[in-house]
Amino acid sequence: MARELLTARLERKECISEVAQCYHFTFVIDELESFPFTAGQFVSAVAPDANGKVQTRAYSIASAANGNKFELCVNRVEEGFFSNHLADLPDLPIGSEIQIHGPHGHFILHAPITDSILIATGTGIAPMRGYLQWLFPAEGQDRSNGKQIWLVYGTRHESDIYYQAEFEALAARVPNFHYLPTLSRALESWTGLRGYVQEHVERILSVRAAGLGQPFPAPAPDPTTPTAELNFEIYAYICGLNEMVSGVRERLTAVGWHRKQIVFERYD
Ligand SMILES: Cc1cc2nc3c(=O)[nH]c(=O)nc-3n(C[C@H](O)[C@H](O)[C@H](O)COP(=O)(O)OP(=O)(O)OC[C@H]3O[C@@H](n4cnc5c(N)ncnc54)[C@H](O)[C@@H]3O)c2cc1C
């Protein structure tokens, strides 16, 4: 069945890292009064390539639902068709259009909200930004229920820590949000965390367990409980390229995490 295509008009485009060639986009769907979605979902963007073949690519929505707007965070992939098509959309005069369908996907926060560790690399930050806007809106009711939310963000260089100022401001405003960017190729001047995201997740969990007086690793859930009935006090949400996602899943499994506690989205 053909999916209903929506036309999204570019309202704002900003290069957020020259080095990584990463762009932030705001689109408006003029034909809709509102474009409802759950934070963490994606849209499918559709366009013909140079041979007239229709190409479709998924892009996580980098914002929480906001009227008829949605935001994306996309980096150019070498030789890639769609990422370059988006990155090349003219920003002036503003008003280029793209076709999309959606929202789609199940990479959404578990309800009710629990302590959560958000782990991302590169543009895998997009759905995390959506979660954080939804959990901690600038105006209106905080939806975090006072639960602890960690964002562990891995990238190579300081120049490609996307939305750094925004997350730092959020961490300064909200005591239960913890922002942990980590660099794999940091300069000597970098005073923050170093290495890959995997290396930090376990430490965060062991410190949390110690603070709560809980054993670490946690004991496995009762095997007689049906999986559908399992609920956990903490969930992990992982987004990025497969290699990182698999690495983090392995680490979490090694410290006794149940697969149901690990929610993930792979970009490749
Ligand atoms: C659910 C979902 C959500 C996604 N959300 C985002 C998002 O928010 N932002 C974003 O930038 N991308 C996102 N992606 C990836 C996106 O869909 C495309 O795969 C990416 O933009 C490359 O498309 P392309 O047409 O430019 O390259 P293609 O022409 O499809 O591929 C060119 C080459 O690059 C490789 N490649 C494909 N994807 C990547 C990648 N992400 N990084 C490095 N190499 C790659 C391919 O294996 C291929 O060899 C998401 C993917 C999924 C499945």
Side-chain angles (χ1 to χ4, degrees):
M1 196 180 75
R3 305 201 187 240
E4 188 202 352
L5 285 182
L6 298 164
T7 300
R9 174 174 55 83
L10 181 63
E11 188 183 69
R12 196 167 76 90
K13 174 185 162 198
E14 187 189 344
C15 180
I16 57 172
S17 170
E18 281 288 348
V19 178
Q21 277 296 295
C22 185
Y23 293 82
H24 180 85
F25 302 87
T26 304
F27 287 99
V28 186
I29 307 178
D30 290 311
E31 66 201 271
L32 297 181
E33 258 177 38
S34 76
F35 180 55
F37 58 87
T38 306
Q41 288 193 293
F42 65 87
V43 292
S44 292
V46 181
D49 65 16
N51 303 316
K53 186 168 182 260
V54 174
Q55 300 283 350
T56 304
R57 299 285 185 281
Y59 291 100
S60 301
I61 305 174
S63 50
N66 171 25
N68 60 354
K69 297 187 183 191
F70 67 92
E71 298 172 32
L72 300 182
C73 171
V74 178
N75 70 327
R76 286 186 195 269
V77 167
E78 217 176 310
E79 310 279 310
F81 164 66
F82 224 115
S83 56
N84 288 289
H85 173 69
L86 291 172
D88 290 336
L89 287 176
D91 41 2
L92 284 175
I94 217 79
S96 328
E97 291 177 343
I98 62 163
Q99 304 284 306
I100 60 144
H101 57 77
H104 303 296
H106 304 284
F107 187 65
I108 59 175
L109 292 169
H110 193 269
I113 297 301
T114 61
D115 281 0
S116 303
I117 176 158
L118 318 180
I119 304 152
T121 49
T123 53
I125 197 67
M128 309 307 183
R129 185 173 184 262
Y131 291 161
L132 292 167
Q133 286 188 355
W134 183 84
L135 287 166
F136 305 110
E139 288 162 22
Q141 183 72 36
D142 177 311
R143 300 186 178 98
S144 68
N145 288 335
K147 301 295 179 189
Q148 302 301 314
I149 312 289
W150 291 266
L151 171 60
V152 187
Y153 181 63
T155 189
R156 288 182 188 164
H157 311 287
E158 199 170 350
S159 58
D160 38 66
I161 309 179
Y162 311 146
Y163 310 110
Q164 182 179 13
E166 208 175 292
F167 296 135
E168 281 175 352
L170 181 61
R173 172 168 75 83
V174 174
N176 55 327
F177 170 61
H178 314 284
Y179 177 47
L180 301 159
T182 176
L183 300 182
S184 58
R185 296 192 194 166
L187 296 177
E188 270 191 23
S189 54
W190 172 250
T191 54
L193 297 178
R194 290 166 184 264
Y196 295 108
V197 285
Q198 295 87 309
E199 297 162 30
H200 300 294
V201 169
E202 204 173 312
R203 185 181 44 81
I204 293 166
L205 297 177
S206 67
V207 170
R208 173 184 177 273
L212 294 171
Q214 294 177 350
F216 181 82
D222 179 350
T224 60
T225 309
T227 304
E229 288 172 24
L230 288 174
N231 281 301
F232 300 91
E233 285 176 12
I234 181 166
Y235 285 77
Y237 301 85
I238 317 169
C239 187
L241 297 179
N242 183 39
E243 197 183 345
M244 179 281 288
V245 173
S246 304
V248 178
R249 289 175 68 206
E250 274 166 30
R251 288 278 181 120
L252 290 173
T253 310
V255 291
W257 276 46
H258 191 275
R259 61 180 168 75
K260 215 191 138 191
Q261 270 178 290
I262 310 171
V263 187
F264 60 93
E265 186 93 281
R266 285 183 293 221
Y267 279 1
D268 61 339

